[in-house]
Amino acid sequence: MSRKPETLGERLQRLRQTAQLTIPDLSDKSGVAVGTIWNIENSKGDTQLSTLKKITAALNINISDLDL
């Protein structure tokens, strides 16, 4: 049985947890609001590319790691 593809939010949450960061930690490192990160991880609303660039820089990963 095939598994459903990982959403952007699920992928971001996995990468954040792998980096051993909480949402507030990632917010502090990236300058992105806690609520915005929560919304992305929970697939609420649209996400701007500039926001994802800040988050990926804080996680020290390439934006291509998000498989957009």
Side-chain angles (χ1 to χ4, degrees):
M1 191 159 142
S2 66
R3 190 177 154 190
K4 74 175 179 106
E6 192 175 44
T7 66
L8 170 62
E10 291 167 338
R11 193 171 307 113
L12 178 60
Q13 183 178 46
R14 178 177 48 78
L15 292 166
R16 175 182 56 76
Q17 290 172 340
T18 298
Q20 298 182 338
L21 295 173
T22 64
I23 290 177
D25 291 339
L26 181 55
S27 174
D28 288 343
K29 286 186 74 160
S30 66
V32 175
V34 168
T36 300
I37 296 170
W38 186 91
N39 285 339
I40 295 168
E41 289 191 3
N42 290 282
S43 301
K44 306 287 183 194
D46 294 326
T47 305
Q48 294 182 353
L49 184 58
S50 60
T51 301
L52 291 176
K53 286 181 180 180
K54 290 176 186 177
I55 291 171
T56 57
L59 290 171
N60 200 28
I61 61 173
N62 292 314
I63 200 155
S64 61
D65 294 332
L66 295 177
D67 294 326
L68 298 176

